[in-house]
Amino acid sequence: QDILFPIQQLEEMAIRALSPGINDPRTAIECLDHLTASISILARRPQPAELLEDEAGTPRIQFRQHAFEKILREAYQQIHHHGQTDLQLVERVLIVLHKLRKQSALAPERAEQIETLIDELYDKSSQSMAYHGDREKLTQIYQKIRPETDTAETNA
């Protein structure tokens, strides 16, 4: 009944895969793909009712609610944190968030939350990657998924 539980399970699998002892970024990327498939369904749905009532209006079931932004951050932030210097993983995180943002266009506040997370994760990775070539590649990826960034900078 708790929507965060399966998200936390996939997140934990991805983080373990990124640990130095295992070092399996491919598994972490697979976890990201599964998370994104689930969250894309969630992003298109309206927030469910917190309280269900019977025909007479008597409250019967109360659900624990989680804001979309909390679910989004729970799914991606820690995975990114543990793999923020791995270009392949960061690229996948940014791409899946970009795809998710495009799918949630019906809910502007959700798309904005996703954009904010994309920007935060890009900034964090661009500061933590040691190799200049990786930072350049990351910037290219970011500019592809954020074309409005180029337009805004050109017009400024």
Side-chain angles (χ1 to χ4, degrees):
Q1 295 297 322
D2 184 6
I3 195 156
L4 286 180
F5 182 73
I7 290 170
Q8 291 166 340
Q9 295 294 301
L10 281 168
E11 175 195 40
E12 190 174 317
M13 284 174 40
I15 290 169
R16 285 183 182 167
L18 293 170
S19 70
I22 297 174
N23 193 23
D24 182 13
R26 189 79 216 132
T27 297
I29 288 171
E30 289 293 323
C31 290
L32 281 170
D33 291 344
H34 287 289
L35 279 168
T36 303
S38 300
I39 292 175
S40 70
I41 294 168
L42 181 67
R44 293 188 304 257
R45 291 183 177 173
Q47 186 76 10
E50 195 170 308
L51 187 66
L52 290 181
E53 300 173 342
D54 63 14
E55 296 82 23
T58 306
R60 294 295 178 186
I61 301 173
Q62 184 172 6
F63 295 100
R64 183 182 339 168
Q65 294 293 327
H66 299 288
F68 178 74
E69 185 173 18
K70 177 176 175 48
I71 295 168
L72 187 67
R73 289 183 178 278
E74 185 79 30
Y76 297 102
Q77 269 186 322
Q78 285 301 309
I79 296 171
H80 175 269
H81 174 75
H82 289 276
Q84 67 186 335
T85 59
D86 183 320
L87 181 61
Q88 184 182 16
L89 181 87
V90 174
E91 177 179 11
R92 182 57 69 100
V93 170
L94 294 178
I95 287 171
V96 298
L97 285 171
H98 172 67
K99 288 179 181 179
L100 191 60
R101 180 187 60 180
K102 286 174 39 178
Q103 292 177 359
S104 63
L106 299 177
E109 69 281 350
R110 289 181 177 175
E112 187 175 309
Q113 292 166 347
I114 294 167
E115 286 179 27
T116 299
L117 185 59
I118 289 171
D119 293 342
E120 288 174 12
L121 299 182
Y122 164 74
D123 288 342
K124 191 173 179 181
S125 281
S126 64
Q127 292 173 11
S128 62
M129 287 187 178
Y131 180 60
H132 179 70
D134 285 351
R135 289 192 306 272
E136 284 182 356
K137 176 74 173 158
L138 180 63
T139 299
Q140 291 171 359
I141 294 162
Y142 179 73
Q143 288 174 345
K144 282 182 185 176
I145 66 170
R146 294 294 306 246
E148 63 274 9
T149 303
D150 293 54
T151 307
E153 289 175 2
T154 306
N155 294 335

